[in-house]
Every structure is written in C-alpha cells, then in structure tokens.
C-alpha cells in the first residue's frame, strides 16, 4: 500500500510539472515531469515482470511435475503413463526406473508405473540375503516388491541387478537363512547329478534359480538367473521326506529324490565359502 501511495503522489507531481511546463513554456519543468512519469512506468513494468517470475517458481516448488521428470531404463517409456502410488496393501513387483529426492519410481511387467515416497517409517530388506537396506543403498535398475511377511506395511524387498558369481553367491546365502528370516528362498529346481563319496557323503549337483524371474519382474533374462551348484551331503545332513514318494534318507538314497516334484535345501552358513557348501537339511516331496 505504501508503494502504491508513493507512486500516486509521484505521478501527480510529474503530471503537474508536465502541464505547468507546457502552459508557461518551461522546457525544463516539462522534461522533469516527463522524466518522473517515465521512471514510474519503467519501475512498474519491471516490478510486474519480477512478480510473475516469482509466482511461476513458487508454483513449481509447491506442485512439482513428477510425471515429466522420470528417467527410464532401456525401452521403458512412462512419459505418457499415469503414475500410481504403490500402497503396501496392493501387491506389486517391478523394476526401479528412477530415484529422485525421496521418491522411488517403478514399472512392472504390464508397464504399469508406481512410486513410493520414502519416509522415516519405510523399511527395505534385501530379498535374497535378508539384510536391511538404507534408502541410499538403493540404485536405479534394482528390482523391488511388496514385503508380504509380518508387519509388512511400508516394508519392501530389494533385489540387486546382478548376474554371474555375485548373484550365485547371494542365492546360496538365501538357502542358508534361518526360519526367522521371513522372506522367500532360492528355488531348487532339480537334481542333475550325484557323486557318491562313501561314508554317507555325496556331491550333488542341483539346478537353482533366483526369486527374480521374468514372469514376475520386467527385463529379466531367466537363463542368467539360473545356476548349477555343487553341494555336499554329509553325516550331519537331516533328511525330511513325505510318506507318498520314494524316500531319500541318506547319501546313498538321495538318488530317489531326482523325480520328486519339490526340493528344499538348508545350507550350513559356515560352509558357504567351501568348495562344496554343506547341506544341513534336505527335503523332497512328490506329487
């Protein structure tokens, strides 16, 4: 209000000087009046331009356009796609396309796009090793899903985008986790070969596969997430079998489990770095 009043007063003075200069033919008086009016006009043009720029910046700060700033991985294009909030109660699995500020952007196999807002209550767990993640550990290209265990609200599973020996080692860690770690385990697909060592010991070649599969997650090459591993059964291995299939209850009879539909292993975590990690528990189930 003070600025407006001051401007009005100056405008009146400038106009009076202009009129007086014209009436009495006083060039200096007229020019002073013109100068005052010119300064007022220039000032207000500049002021309005500055105010419009500030208003635009404030709008951008309060209403950021998240949909147009999301980077994509490979051929995934979300520029024309609605991004949904990924609530913990609505199950999803996908790949992280971008991380901006405190927001994770995700796309799934159906090219649906989601986002997660990171806050103090959000938790992240490595889906293969069970280790806790901090938000800063998460990278673009990692895989992510809702956590379905107890107290799962605002808790998500994170899977690194890795292959080769690094991935195989994490899959073996998964097979060694205790029951208290409430996440899925590496899948044991089949027994491919058995080498009897005697003394109730054998080297068994298993085919195992990652929890991250193309049927659930985008951009997954399943062959890169499947491995043959050599594991050892010993006198300390505990065998659990059902009553409908052919029992495998020691190293010599483990051959009987080759045709079983479901195989489950628990590895001794202290032997993961051995040439042949040892199986502490072996389960087989037939149809």
């Amino acid at each position: 209000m003070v600025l407006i009043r001051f401007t009005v007063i100056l405008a009146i003075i400038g106009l009076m000087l202009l009129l007086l200069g014209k009436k009495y033919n006083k060039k200096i008086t007229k020019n002073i009046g013109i100068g005052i009016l010119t300064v007022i006009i220039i000032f207000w043009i500049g002021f309005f331009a500055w105010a419009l720029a500030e208003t635009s910046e404030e709008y951008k700060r309060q209403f950021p356009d998240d949909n147009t700033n999301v980077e994509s991985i490979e051929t995934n294009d979300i520029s024309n796609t609605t991004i949904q909030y990924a609530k913990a109660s609505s199950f999803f699995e996908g790949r992280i396309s971008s991380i901006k500020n405190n927001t994770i952007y995700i796309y799934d196999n159906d090219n649906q796009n989601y986002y997660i807002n990171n806050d103090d209550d959000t938790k992240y767990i490595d889906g293969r090793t069970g280790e806790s993640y901090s938000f800063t550990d998460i990278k673009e290209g990692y895989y992510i899903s809702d956590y379905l265990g107890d107290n799962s609200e605002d808790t998500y599973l994170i899977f690194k985008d890795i292959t080769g020996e690094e991935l195989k080692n994490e899959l073996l860690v998964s097979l060694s986790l205790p029951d208290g770690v409430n996440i899925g385990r590496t899948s044991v697909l089949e027994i491919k070969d058995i080498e009897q060592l005697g003394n109730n010991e054998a080297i068994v070649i298993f085919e195992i596969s990652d929890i991250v599969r193309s049927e659930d997650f985008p951009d997954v090459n399943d062959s890169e997430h499947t491995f043959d591993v050599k594991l050892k059964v010993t006198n300390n291995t505990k065998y659990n079998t059902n009553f409908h299939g052919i029992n495998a209850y020691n190293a010599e009879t483990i051959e009987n489990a080759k045709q079983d539909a479901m195989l489950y292993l628990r590895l001794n975590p202290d032997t993961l770095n051995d040439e042949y990690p040892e199986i502490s528990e072996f389960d087989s189930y037939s149809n």
Side-chain angles (χ1 to χ4, degrees), residues 98-243:
S98 180
I99 302 173
K100 292 185 177 298
N101 299 322
N102 263 351
T103 303
I104 301 175
Y105 298 92
I106 305 146
Y107 66 99
D108 65 12
N109 258 346
D110 297 323
N111 211 32
Q112 297 295 312
N113 295 274
Y114 305 90
Y115 69 91
I116 294 171
N117 288 326
N118 180 68
D119 55 39
D120 293 339
D121 296 324
T122 309
K123 297 179 182 179
Y124 307 97
I125 298 175
D126 191 300
R128 300 186 184 106
T129 67
E131 297 177 353
S132 295
Y133 258 81
S134 68
F135 180 74
T136 55
D137 293 329
I138 302 171
K139 308 296 182 185
E140 294 179 8
Y142 283 12
Y143 299 94
I144 185 170
S145 76
D146 281 286
Y147 180 58
L148 300 181
D150 295 336
N151 300 318
S152 61
E153 186 175 1
D154 294 328
T155 305
Y156 301 93
L157 292 177
I158 303 294
F159 303 89
K160 293 179 183 176
D161 180 25
I162 53 177
T163 57
E165 287 297 312
E166 186 178 7
L167 175 57
K168 184 170 75 171
N169 289 338
E170 286 202 353
L171 299 188
L172 294 178
V173 170
S174 172
L175 290 173
S176 72
L177 297 176
D179 291 336
V181 180
N182 194 10
I183 59 176
R185 300 295 193 271
T186 298
S187 297
V188 182
L189 303 180
E190 64 173 318
I191 295 173
K192 302 188 78 170
D193 195 20
I194 302 169
E195 178 188 354
Q196 295 292 339
L197 301 178
N199 193 33
N200 196 27
E201 294 186 340
I203 304 299
V204 185
I205 299 177
F206 291 90
E207 184 180 38
I208 63 174
S209 71
D210 193 8
I211 301 168
V212 176
R213 307 180 184 91
S214 61
E215 63 184 281
D216 302 315
F217 295 88
D219 309 326
V220 177
N221 183 341
D222 286 331
S223 64
E224 295 181 347
H225 291 248
T226 304
F227 300 90
D228 289 346
V229 293
K230 291 184 176 182
L231 307 175
K232 187 176 183 180
V233 292
T234 70
N235 275 314
N236 295 321
T237 302
K238 296 180 181 179
Y239 296 84
N240 301 298
T241 59
N242 67 346
F243 298 104

Side-chain angles (χ1 to χ4, degrees), residues 1 10 28 45-46 49 65 75 78-79 88 93 130-131 147 154 162 180 191 197 203 220 222 231 244 268 278 283:
M1 292 298 294
L10 280 180
I28 295 176
I45 290 174
D65 186 1
T75 60
I78 65 173
S79 58
E93 294 173 313
E131 297 177 353
Y147 180 58
D154 294 328
I162 53 177
I191 295 173
L197 301 178
I203 304 299
V220 177
D222 286 331
L231 307 175
H244 305 292
N268 181 345
E278 295 182 3
D283 293 13

Side-chain angles (χ1 to χ4, degrees), residues 47-59 61:
F47 178 82
F48 279 117
W50 172 81
L52 286 173
E54 282 296 305
T55 301
S56 177
E57 288 299 317
E58 181 63 22
Y59 182 86
R61 284 193 291 269

